[in-house]
Amino acid sequence: MRRPFSSVRSRAALAATAVVAVALVAAAFALLFALRSNLTDQAERQADQFSNEVAQRLANQVPLGKLELPDSDEHPTQVTDARGRLVAASEGIEKITGTGVSAVRPASPPSTTAPTPAPTPTPTPTGDDDDDDSGGDDDSGDDSDDDGPAPGAPADGTFSPAEDHRDASVTVDGRTVDYRFSTRRVTGVAGGPYTVHAGSSLDPRQSAVGAATIAMAIGVPALLVVVGGVTWLVTRRALRPVEGIRREMAAITASEDLTRRVPEPDTHDEVARLARTTNETLTALEASVDRQRRFVADASHELRSPIASLRTQLEVGEAHPELLDVPGAVADTVRLQQLAADLLLLARLDAGEQAGRTRLDLAALVREEVSQRSTDRIPVTPDVRGSAEVAGSRGQLARVLGNLLDNAQRHAAGEVRATVRRDGGQVVLAVSDDGAGVPDAERERIFERFVRLDDARSRDDGGAGLGLAIARDVAHRHGGTLDVGRAEAGGALFELRLPAAGRDPDRPVPAGASALGAVSAQVLGDRRE
């Protein structure tokens, strides 16, 4: 059963929608908060303006009865005395909560006359004063023309900046509305001090925030649907080539036809690179399978001939014991043993078995191996001076040297030489002969498996075309190279180049490398017998 959101398209669309949803919700809350704060500040400024106007009138000694207050539905206002009693209020207020004063009407009608100052005592007249008064009628007349306030007139009071802002609810004509109230104190006036509460409606704030909330509640889900759909379509279009690659790979697997290739899109993105890499892998796999098939076919062909020859000799010996060719049967058996050992070593090399890292003297190895080849058709001439240490498997390197010397013995006319020298940071093992040499066009092909040149196809001379292939594979496992050129004597010159061993102490041999060396040494011993 297919799980929900199991495809890349589904997960990509879901992830994109989730990310955009989080961003939009955060942005929506921030916008609503900013909108609410701005509109609240605007209502506070309006409330401050009207509370300032009312406080200014009170400070100018306007009687409470003549105090003009704003309309209750726009800017409801309350004035309280020092004991918190309501002394003036906007008309039409039915109910108010939140200002700290719940009364909507003053307890007693406010006075409409200006407050009268306390009387000033009149000094007792004296004789001098009478004289002064009798002679100073003109002066008294002049005093009545002064521009200053009349004696005993009250001075203007003062009022404070807005001391507090709070939300309150006011009911007018049966409709309850939220207001933002500003509070000021008025001092220095008769009957005071007074406290002024003036409000400004929060309807614009609530309307704007409500409209924005509704718009976002509708727009955000719609936008998320669009984002999810677009992401789905874009991801589907982007992954369409991947689906084509998958289908083609499934068809190749079902048909086992490695000649087919996946479609490569014309783009230059990661999908195109994936398709190219997949085709390169298929090409390498096809080549590997073809090589394996050829290997199996060639191995079967090589094994069939000595087995058939051995069977024939045994059948003849069974029927006519006097005609049994025992040396020929032994030779065919040895050849089968050599071929089986070569196939086993190639299988291990193909499996990625690494060479050992034991330090050994390649010059001493050459001297030892050459000294044991007493049955060669042409004696090998060693040219070895000093020592040349390398790191590797002694058994595998001895196998390489033996294969190169065997190849030279089959093609040499009268001379085979083995030379060891140092060349910078490398140790070079050269095996040369004075035979016909290797044509330039064949110098790479001879390292392929089961490849023999035309003049070396006789199985009576030995060799199944695996010796040079094994030698090059071992060289590569040791981090070296094996190439062929022309010797000074005109024949073939095979050069094995290996990295010279450093001065570090011997590293432990990996598991399996010593065993492989032992197997190879045993095979060499069997061949020399």
Side-chain angles (χ1 to χ4, degrees):
M1 181 179 179
R2 188 175 181 179
R3 295 180 300 173
F5 303 107
S6 60
S7 66
V8 176
R9 294 192 300 270
S10 301
R11 292 196 297 269
L14 181 62
T17 304
V19 171
V20 174
V22 171
L24 288 178
V25 169
F29 276 107
L31 178 60
L32 292 176
F33 179 78
L35 180 62
R36 179 185 177 90
S37 298
N38 290 335
L39 293 177
T40 301
D41 292 342
Q42 181 180 352
E44 284 184 0
R45 288 192 295 269
Q46 293 179 356
D48 289 343
Q49 177 183 352
F50 282 93
S51 66
N52 181 75
E53 294 178 359
V54 174
Q56 182 68 50
R57 296 191 187 101
L58 288 174
N60 291 339
Q61 303 294 343
V62 175
L64 293 176
K66 294 183 177 181
L67 187 63
E68 296 181 0
L69 300 179
D71 294 337
S72 58
D73 56 347
E74 294 182 357
H75 301 284
T77 304
Q78 289 180 312
V79 180
T80 60
D81 58 13
R83 289 184 292 178
R85 296 178 302 178
L86 182 67
V87 295
S90 298
E91 295 182 359
I93 298 178
E94 299 176 359
K95 182 181 180 181
I96 185 168
T97 57
T99 61
V101 181
S102 59
V104 297
R105 293 287 183 274
S108 60
S111 173
T112 59
T113 59
T116 303
T120 302
T122 303
T124 304
T126 61
D128 294 336
D129 292 337
D130 292 340
D131 293 339
D132 292 339
D133 292 339
S134 61
D137 292 340
D138 294 338
D139 293 338
S140 62
D142 293 338
D143 291 341
S144 61
D145 295 334
D146 289 343
D147 295 333
D156 290 344
T158 59
F159 57 92
S160 66
E163 297 179 350
D164 184 28
H165 295 93
R166 65 181 65 182
D167 291 343
S169 298
V170 179
T171 302
V172 179
D173 296 334
R175 179 172 174 266
T176 302
V177 180
D178 291 335
Y179 289 83
R180 188 70 171 173
F181 275 82
S182 172
T183 302
R184 296 177 188 269
R185 289 180 62 83
V186 181
T187 59
V189 295
Y194 294 111
T195 301
V196 178
H197 304 278
S200 179
S201 176
L202 292 177
D203 263 355
R205 184 190 73 178
Q206 296 172 346
S207 299
V209 172
T213 302
I214 294 175
M216 291 179 183
I218 297 175
V220 169
L223 184 58
L224 292 179
V225 171
V226 173
V227 170
V230 171
T231 305
W232 173 277
L233 294 176
V234 171
T235 308
R236 179 182 181 183
R237 181 178 180 84
L239 295 179
R240 186 175 300 166
V242 177
E243 179 62 21
I245 294 173
R246 188 203 64 78
R247 285 197 301 266
E248 186 62 24
M249 288 296 294
I252 292 173
T253 303
S255 64
E256 299 183 357
D257 183 7
L258 296 179
T259 61
R260 299 173 61 173
R261 296 294 180 266
V262 301
E264 295 186 14
D266 297 333
T267 58
H268 300 280
D269 55 7
E270 293 82 355
V271 177
R273 291 195 292 271
L274 173 63
R276 286 192 292 270
T277 303
T278 303
N279 285 334
E280 292 171 359
T281 303
L282 289 173
T283 301
L285 182 60
E286 180 186 9
S288 176
V289 171
D290 290 342
R291 185 168 58 250
Q292 189 70 19
R293 288 173 179 172
R294 288 196 305 269
F295 177 82
V296 172
D298 292 340
S300 301
H301 181 74
E302 293 293 333
L303 289 171
R304 182 178 60 181
S305 297
I307 291 175
S309 176
L310 181 61
R311 177 181 178 180
T312 300
Q313 294 178 31
L314 293 176
E315 289 176 349
V316 170
E318 182 182 9
H320 306 282
E322 70 279 4
L323 300 179
L324 178 61
D325 184 9
V326 176
V330 172
D332 287 339
T333 303
V334 172
R335 186 180 176 196
L336 282 173
Q337 184 181 15
Q338 293 174 351
L339 183 57
D342 289 343
L343 294 176
L344 176 61
L345 181 56
L346 282 175
R348 290 180 174 177
L349 293 176
D350 289 342
E353 186 170 329
Q354 298 297 322
R357 305 302 299 172
T358 304
R359 292 168 65 107
L360 59 96
D361 187 355
L362 189 60
L365 177 63
V366 171
R367 285 192 291 265
E368 179 182 351
E369 292 295 321
V370 170
S371 66
Q372 297 178 3
R373 300 178 67 91
S374 58
T375 60
D376 284 345
R377 180 176 61 89
I378 300 173
V380 179
T381 303
D383 184 5
V384 179
R385 300 189 184 103
S387 63
E389 290 190 345
V390 297
S393 169
R394 179 182 179 85
Q396 291 186 15
L397 294 179
R399 182 65 176 276
V400 173
L401 176 60
N403 289 351
L404 294 180
L405 292 176
D406 290 344
N407 182 75
Q409 289 289 334
R410 285 193 295 269
H411 297 281
E415 180 185 23
V416 176
R417 298 182 65 86
T419 304
V420 177
R421 71 179 191 277
R422 293 185 66 96
D423 184 8
Q426 293 181 323
V427 175
V428 181
L429 167 63
V431 177
S432 61
D433 60 69
D434 59 350
V438 181
D440 294 343
E442 305 289 344
R443 289 182 178 177
E444 285 298 321
R445 197 172 71 88
I446 61 174
F447 291 105
E448 297 178 6
R449 299 173 182 180
F450 297 105
V451 171
R452 293 188 297 268
L453 301 184
D454 292 339
D455 59 351
R457 291 190 179 276
S458 175
R459 293 185 177 85
D460 295 336
D461 294 334
L466 293 176
L468 295 179
I470 291 175
R472 173 167 276 191
D473 283 351
V474 171
H476 289 169
R477 292 295 188 276
H478 284 74
T481 60
L482 177 62
D483 299 305
V484 61
R486 180 170 293 279
E488 294 181 358
L493 172 63
F494 288 87
E495 285 189 343
L496 171 65
R497 292 179 175 269
L498 299 174
R503 297 182 180 180
D504 297 333
D506 293 344
R507 292 193 293 181
V509 180
S514 59
L516 181 58
V519 171
S520 301
Q522 180 64 36
V523 170
L524 285 174
D526 294 340
R527 291 180 61 181
R528 294 190 189 101
E529 293 176 359

